[in-house]
Amino acid sequence: MMQFANPVTLPLAEYKPCHFLLSVEGPVATITFNRPEKKNPLTFESYRELTDFFHACAKDDNVRAIVVTGAGGNFSSGGDVLEIIGPLVEMDTKGLTAFTRMTGELVKAMRAAPQPVIAAVEGICAGAGAIIAMASDLRLAAPSAKVAFLFNKVGLAGCDMGACAILPRIIGQGRASELLYTGRFMKAEEGERWGFFSRLVDEAELLREAKALAREIGSGPTYANTMTKRMLAMEWAMSVEEAIEAEAVAQALCMTTEDFARAYRAFAAKEKPVFQGD
């Protein structure tokens, strides 16, 4: 199993990944899983490079939102059966623990990245692919999207890469329990009804809509958006009283930014503010 992948270099607009496609248009970076002949499975190497990429996002202020999608009409089928599942059967406990910690690092890196992450999901979104969609901040879906946390189908627990912590917070404990115990596919309409998807978009418009949403967010107050993402994560472990105090401090910090003053001046002049991220 590879421990290191293609080193991520800055700026991200000039980085050439080995295990996925990357395009940067203005403030929006788009990751595309690009093994369409196998429904875009992940490998040891792609896990590592994706993790390194999301870590690097914290160091590139020019990227303000991230879109994740898949090529060929599918999001991702999860871990490659032959390239990942096969070798896992031969590993000892130490090696297996190293692998499961490595996959979990991807979710940690996505959650730690200051930029909001938007998943544009169509077709198959299964296993680790479903986890990546789950770990994103927002999810748009085409009507063809089918999401499954397949772990119990291969004899594993549903508690993989943070699923038991994050999924119930998105769709509720009971619904998450059903998906994790059965491994069944959640269709797009059901996913929207349950709140997993923000909305459904026709396949032909899905990526365009996801990028438009990313641009809208990316044109907002960067520091404030980063603070929103941080607080959404941190407040899971807080009491309401602690959360209110933490938000008071966070909001006071946002009030020290030039974007806050810029918004006031624009409002006073009856103009639309143009945020610059400072």
Side-chain angles (χ1 to χ4, degrees), residues 82-205:
L82 296 179
E83 295 185 47
I84 287 186
I85 308 301
L88 292 180
V89 175
E90 305 299 325
M91 288 185 190
D92 60 13
T93 301
K94 182 179 179 180
L96 291 168
T97 304
F99 168 74
T100 53
R101 285 177 174 157
M102 181 192 74
T103 61
E105 284 298 320
L106 172 55
V107 173
K108 292 180 185 178
M110 291 179 68
R111 301 309 307 147
Q115 300 87 348
V117 180
I118 301 169
V121 181
E122 61 179 322
I124 297 298
C125 177
I131 294 289
I132 291 172
M134 176 198 76
S136 299
D137 299 284
L138 297 166
R139 290 157 293 278
L140 305 185
S144 64
K146 298 193 299 182
V147 180
F149 298 85
L150 292 172
F151 308 108
N152 82 322
K153 296 293 188 183
V154 295
L156 297 176
C159 56
D160 198 70
M161 299 172 69
C164 286
I166 300 173
L167 189 60
R169 289 179 164 90
I170 300 173
I171 63 174
Q173 186 81 8
R175 289 166 173 169
S177 297
E178 180 185 343
L179 295 182
L180 296 177
Y181 278 125
T182 66
R184 72 167 179 84
F185 277 97
M186 173 178 61
K187 294 183 179 180
E189 291 182 359
E190 184 178 30
E192 183 189 33
R193 191 171 68 249
W194 283 8
F196 189 79
F197 295 122
S198 297
R199 63 179 184 267
L200 303 186
V201 182
D202 288 342
E203 273 89 351
E205 299 296 320

